[in-house]
Structure formats: structure tokens, C-alpha cells
Amino acid sequence: MKFFVDTAEIDAIAELNDLGMVDGVTTNPSLIKKSGRDIIEVTKEICDLVDGPVSAEVTATDADEMIAEGRKLVEIAENIAVKVPLTWDGLKACKALSDDGHMVNVTLCFSANQALLAAKAGATFISPFIGRLDDINLDGMDLIADIRTIYDNYGFDTQILAASIRTVNHVTQSALCGADVMTAPPGVIKSMVNHPLTDKGLDAFLADIKAAGIKIL
Ligand code: E4P
């Protein structure tokens, strides 16, 4: 499973990237706003840092404007994936930009039919939003599993990018359902290391190291 980091914070991306944990980055208008940076400037910095796809989202809602924005975004760097919303206009923009040879991430996906449309429009990535479905008492994992089945049934090569990941369990479940990629905030990725039995076991080893005076260096 590929790990994308869902943030526009350079330091957080760099820290995970140094550990080989970053296969790509996703941003959205809310994350750009949170960073307080200019979208072009911060996106360029992220693209310079990370080798994999960096999703940058259009601001327009009309297909022609989305296409024009997408063509400007892809000038930032070769690893830009243009992010478009899952609307009819977004699908038109997806088709045009993917026909141009650009990576497209179709975002705000909440149904299997939407995912089917995005794949037919040539999307590189489809982003089902797990956490936001959970927020309204629906199971985001059912959606990931349904999209996996549909894409496999028909051989679509659009990658399933599990998004709106809020918990470490979302990561495990997305992997079990066969998502190709997951994107999560840096804090969620770092929390994946935590286990109380690891802490307890290490405490016991440290006590024995001290008691026995074990030294290596
Ligand atoms: C993904 O591309 C989105 O930027 C993100 O995962 C949305 O997450 P949220 O629902 O926690 O805002």
C-alpha cells in the first residue's frame, strides 16, 4: 500500500519523507488555507521534496476553468496530480486532463457509481472519503470494498486512494479492503507505531538491562 501524506505542512512532510514513509502528498483548499501559504509556492516546495504524486486541487467549478487551472498546476512540476471534484464538470475536466497525459485525482467520492464514472473518465486516482461517511453513520469501508470489487471486475486501473482517514484503524481496514493508496494526516501515520504492549515490553527490557548492567558500546 502506498502512503500519501494529507497536509501542506512542509516540515511534517519532510520528517516522514526522510523515513521513506511518503509515496506522495495530497492537499486540498482547506489544507492550503491552514498552511497560510500561496498555493503555487507551497505546492512547488512539496513537489521539490517528494518524488511521488502531489495532488493540487482546482478552485473552479466550471469544466473549462478547471481544465485551464489544471494546465497551470501541472506546470509547477512533473509530479503534480490535478485534483478535481466529483461533479459532471469535474469528470469533463478529468477526461480532458488525462487525455493530455496528466495525472488526475478525482476527489469527494462518496458512492461506487461516482467511482465508476471517474474510472471511465480516465482518473489516475479516485478518492473515497472514509471519515466523512463515518461522520454521517455510514461505513466508509463498505465503499472502499465495493469500489475494489467493481474495478477488479472490469480491469479499471484507476487507483483507489482511501482519503479522509482519521484513525489508525481506518488505515488497517483500507489496506484489508485492498485500497491501493491511503492518505492520512502526519499525526495518524505517526500514531501507527503505538502499541501498549510494545511500551510495556520495552520497559521490562530496560529494567533488565539496568539490573544486569548490559552494555554494547
Ligand atoms: C484527501 O485528499 C482529502 O484532502 C482529505 O483526506 C480530507 O480529509 P478530511 O475529511 O479529514 O478533511
Side-chain angles (χ1 to χ4, degrees), residues 89-166:
D89 279 70
L91 292 172
K92 284 184 193 170
C94 173
K95 177 81 174 90
L97 292 164
S98 62
D99 281 353
D100 282 353
H102 303 305
M103 290 187 286
V104 182
N105 176 357
V106 181
T107 190
L108 292 168
C109 172
F110 295 97
S111 79
N113 280 341
Q114 288 181 320
L116 191 47
L117 290 170
K120 291 187 77 69
T124 316
F125 301 103
I126 182 68
S127 289
F129 273 38
I130 308 308
R132 293 191 196 186
L133 282 168
D134 286 2
D135 288 345
I136 58 161
N137 288 324
L138 293 172
D139 189 346
M141 287 309 146
D142 288 347
L143 176 58
I144 300 280
D146 286 351
I147 299 172
R148 180 75 281 153
T149 302
I150 290 169
Y151 282 7
D152 288 350
N153 281 348
Y154 297 99
F156 287 115
D157 55 13
T158 299
Q159 295 179 53
I160 302 173
L161 198 176
S164 187
I165 296 265
R166 309 264 178 79

Side-chain angles (χ1 to χ4, degrees), residues 175-214:
L176 287 169
C177 289
D180 300 286
V181 191
M182 71 92 192
T183 188
V188 170
I189 295 175
K190 290 179 81 174
S191 295
M192 289 168 68
V193 77
N194 296 335
H195 198 290
L197 290 180
T198 304
D199 297 339
K200 193 177 166 196
L202 184 59
D203 284 348
F205 288 151
L206 290 173
D208 288 342
I209 287 165
K210 196 172 172 195
I214 301 170

